[in-house]
Amino acid sequence: MELIKNLEWRYAVKKYSDESVSEDKIDRIVEAINLTASSCGLQPYRLFVITNPELRQRLGEGSFNAQIHASSHLLVFAGLNEITNEYITDYVEMMEQQRNLEKGGLKILEDTLIDYFSPQTPQQNTIWSDKQAYIGLGTALIAAAELKVDATPMEGFDPKLFDEVLGLSGKGLHASVIMSLGYRDADNDYLASVQKVRLPIGEFSTKIN
């Protein structure tokens, strides 16, 4: 299975080279994220792809993760602050259009989602959208590995700084998790040549028949 080989190859890169990732590969990774699973299919987060070096330098201030600026691209997964009735209605209308259904053809789904999300607090919405963003992060890591693009998922950043610099609050968003993309500097990354360490499958997983 080629996927297993790709996952054995990948690791969280600590040092990146100056080589840039082609926009074609970035576009394919972004498309994979867009196609990934999300609860209720609502995609309650947005993705920002940042290459601007000055901007990434600013975003990395105060963080121990130099990969924020010392890589080719930075992906910012930004969750929705609220799951509003308007968002649900607009999204369901898009579903109807893409599936060539009559307007109102998914009214039952729309009403069900509104009934579920309306009582939720903003804090509950935030937690839920963050969880969905992490599903996208997982897909991004797999897609990058398939393309032999190195990646580093990161929580070690200042969310408030990201929200301010990227103007996320004004967009109804907040920074959930980030990931750098690039190519490893094998000569200067101490993790590049070490053995990947994982629990034995028998200890990690349990089959219940």
Side-chain angles (χ1 to χ4, degrees):
M1 186 177 181
E2 198 65 28
L3 173 60
I4 298 300
K5 292 181 180 179
N6 293 333
L7 293 177
E8 289 173 342
W9 170 85
R10 71 149 302 278
Y11 71 101
V13 171
K14 303 303 181 185
K15 294 283 187 180
Y16 283 93
S17 71
D18 294 331
E19 185 179 359
S20 296
V21 181
S22 71
E23 289 306 309
D24 174 66
K25 288 187 176 181
I26 295 296
D27 290 345
R28 290 164 70 185
I29 293 170
V30 170
E31 184 176 7
I33 299 169
N34 189 46
L35 289 170
T36 199
S38 67
S39 182
C40 305
L42 286 176
Q43 296 182 279
Y45 62 94
R46 297 295 180 264
L47 184 69
F48 294 82
V49 183
I50 304 172
T51 55
N52 183 285
E54 290 80 14
L55 180 57
R56 289 193 291 129
Q57 190 73 41
R58 174 82 175 93
L59 293 171
E61 289 180 2
S63 173
F64 56 83
N65 286 315
Q67 302 95 319
I68 292 174
H69 62 84
S71 58
S72 174
H73 291 68
L74 179 69
L75 303 186
V76 179
F77 296 77
L80 293 179
N81 294 333
E82 292 187 76
I83 312 301
T84 64
N85 293 354
E86 181 181 12
Y87 180 82
I88 292 171
T89 296
D90 290 345
Y91 202 94
V92 170
E93 286 183 358
M94 182 186 70
M95 292 174 66
E96 290 171 346
Q97 293 171 4
Q98 292 190 10
R99 293 177 178 176
N100 296 315
L101 299 175
E102 292 184 4
K103 182 175 175 59
L106 294 175
K107 181 64 174 173
I108 294 176
L109 172 63
E110 178 185 348
D111 291 343
T112 300
L113 292 175
I114 288 175
D115 287 344
Y116 177 80
F117 283 102
S118 291
Q120 303 295 318
T121 65
Q123 182 181 22
Q124 289 173 315
N125 285 169
T126 296
I127 292 172
W128 182 73
S129 64
D130 284 344
K131 289 180 178 180
Q132 304 310 306
Y134 272 78
I135 297 175
L137 175 72
T139 297
L141 288 168
I142 293 171
E146 181 175 296
L147 294 169
K148 288 297 187 288
V149 173
D150 286 302
T152 310
M154 291 172 279
E155 290 185 325
F157 66 98
D158 185 345
K160 291 183 179 179
L161 176 64
F162 273 63
D163 292 351
E164 177 186 345
V165 173
L166 299 177
L168 297 181
S169 297
K171 299 179 176 72
L173 300 166
H174 63 276
S176 300
V177 67
I178 63 176
M179 186 176 94
S180 60
L181 293 169
Y183 295 104
R184 66 189 69 177
D185 180 356
D187 293 334
N188 295 295
D189 189 339
Y190 71 96
L191 283 180
S193 60
V194 301
Q195 176 68 37
K196 183 186 287 287
V197 177
R198 293 293 187 273
L199 289 169
I201 291 294
E203 183 178 346
F204 174 73
S205 66
T206 301
K207 293 182 178 179
I208 302 177
N209 299 318

